Amino acid sequence: MTAVTHRPFSQALDRLRAAGLRPTRQRLALAKLLFDCCDRHVSAEQLHGEALSSNIRVSLATVYNTLHQFTAAGMLREIVVDAGRSYFDTNTTDHHHFFYEQSGRLEDIPGDMVSVTRMPQAPQGTSIRRVDVIVRVMG
Amino acid sequence: MTAVTHRPFSQALDRLRAAGLRPTRQRLALAKLLFDCCDRHVSAEQLHGEALSSNIRVSLATVYNTLHQFTAAGMLREIVVDAGRSYFDTNTTDHHHFFYEQSGRLEDIPGDMVSVTRMPQAPQGTSIRRVDVIVRVMG
DNA sequence: GTGTTTGCAAAGTGTTTGCAATTTA
DNA sequence: TAAATTGCAAACACTTTGCAAACAC
């Protein structure tokens, strides 16, 4: 009961420190919601809702700012599958997505389950930033 | 000079007829802008601008409606690469896209230049509607 | 004529911004 | 205390909607 005290924010804290972001109450709470569980795909609106449900007072604007800061810091990856809504993925490793067109849900496809072969050259003077494979499913 | 008269709207007309859409002045004009030239990637705003430049009186709402009707009829394909803007692609054959993150421009990659192998199974009770590969480039 | 399509303006969505008040180091 | 961060409300960009007028068949 001495050194092994429960430290609920340690992971979040470390992540923020590593990213050079001040660990404010809001950022810590959002980081905890995002990273303490499994891999997640959240929209800003969703995360804001979760924060409020958890009695974390945070404005939607701050949620947007925070999601973008986390993305810029490489802690999140932004996924676009649907005009008019951004999803943020806590899994930043190489992987792709199933998109359920009816429900709007996203699901990871592990990177090694899809191989893109015969990639074209990047056009003159450009470099490839990322290759997104989106498998759109129905039913 | 008899049967081979120039018929500027025939392609557009035929396409509309085939889709069961009444060939109204607006739809004909938009179809002409979309399909008379090469393969194109347009946003609604863009197409509306082109229509106005060509002295075609059409409202933005009608451009949206028309793009969606054409998409439903399989004449266009909607591409989402950028939250908050839809692009419509006149190339409905199997192919993929380069997306220039700086300019927001889209460019086709012929279907046979990319091979996706080792595709995962569609999840239980779903079927694959489409696989989109987006190669995001910078520079 | 009759049902479809259009235009307009208004409403809706999701996101960003400007700035004063607050918080962090 | 100085600089970063936050909240709010307003602004924004894009898209959809409702309904009367115009149009195609």
Side-chain angles (χ1 to χ4, degrees):
Chain A
M1 245 336 153
T2 49
V4 216
T5 311
H6 186 49
R7 295 181 310 162
F9 289 133
S10 64
Q11 194 199 358
L13 232 186
D14 293 347
R15 276 173 178 274
L16 292 180
R17 287 226 174 91
L21 295 169
R22 283 192 183 175
T24 64
R25 191 186 330 100
Q26 292 85 339
R27 291 213 271 234
L28 273 170
L30 295 177
K32 205 169 137 51
L33 284 174
L34 287 168
F35 304 117
D36 267 11
C37 137
C38 39
D39 287 337
R40 313 198 49 193
H41 304 97
V42 292
S43 68
E45 206 81 49
Q46 244 170 68
L47 185 60
H48 186 231
E50 290 182 22
L52 297 187
S53 301
S54 312
N55 280 317
I56 298 155
R57 231 187 64 261
V58 64
S59 73
L60 183 56
T62 296
V63 172
Y64 273 106
N65 288 338
T66 303
L67 286 171
H68 288 142
Q69 290 156 349
F70 287 4
T71 302
M75 298 157 67
L76 292 175
R77 197 170 121 179
E78 191 172 357
I79 311 284
V80 180
V81 278
D82 201 359
R85 182 181 261 88
S86 279
Y87 289 90
F88 294 85
D89 189 344
T90 57
N91 179 353
T92 56
T93 65
D94 179 43
H95 70 287
H96 299 294
H97 294 95
F98 281 120
F99 177 58
Y100 293 79
E101 297 195 323
Q102 296 195 351
S103 61
R105 202 165 61 80
L106 271 175
E107 187 180 297
D108 283 353
I109 305 173
D112 60 7
M113 288 296 295
V114 177
S115 303
V116 179
T117 47
R118 287 178 50 66
M119 270 292 301
Q121 292 269 319
Q124 264 291 350
T126 69
S127 59
I128 295 179
R129 299 299 288 261
R130 194 164 93 198
V131 178
D132 288 339
V133 178
I134 295 158
V135 180
R136 292 168 186 274
V137 301
M138 249 303 261
Chain B
M1 220 38 110
T2 48
V4 215
T5 312
H6 186 50
R7 294 182 310 163
F9 288 132
S10 65
Q11 194 198 359
L13 232 187
D14 293 347
R15 277 174 176 272
L16 291 180
R17 289 225 175 92
L21 296 169
R22 282 195 183 174
T24 63
R25 190 185 334 95
Q26 291 85 340
R27 293 213 269 234
L28 272 170
L30 294 176
K32 206 169 136 52
L33 284 174
L34 287 167
F35 304 117
D36 266 13
C37 137
C38 39
D39 286 337
R40 313 199 48 192
H41 304 97
V42 291
S43 67
E45 206 82 50
Q46 244 170 67
L47 185 59
H48 186 231
E50 290 182 22
L52 298 187
S53 301
S54 311
N55 281 316
I56 297 157
R57 232 186 66 260
V58 64
S59 72
L60 184 55
T62 296
V63 172
Y64 274 106
N65 288 339
T66 303
L67 286 171
H68 287 142
Q69 290 157 349
F70 286 6
T71 301
M75 298 158 67
L76 292 175
R77 196 169 121 181
E78 190 171 356
I79 311 284
V80 180
V81 279
D82 203 358
R85 182 184 261 87
S86 279
Y87 288 91
F88 295 85
D89 188 346
T90 57
N91 180 352
T92 55
T93 66
D94 178 45
H95 70 288
H96 299 294
H97 294 96
F98 281 120
F99 177 59
Y100 294 79
E101 297 196 324
Q102 297 197 348
S103 61
R105 201 164 59 80
L106 270 176
E107 187 180 297
D108 283 353
I109 306 173
D112 61 6
M113 288 296 296
V114 176
S115 303
V116 179
T117 47
R118 286 175 52 63
M119 270 293 300
Q121 292 269 320
Q124 263 292 349
T126 68
S127 59
I128 295 179
R129 300 300 289 259
R130 195 163 93 198
V131 178
D132 287 340
V133 177
I134 295 159
V135 180
R136 292 168 185 274
V137 301
M138 250 300 262

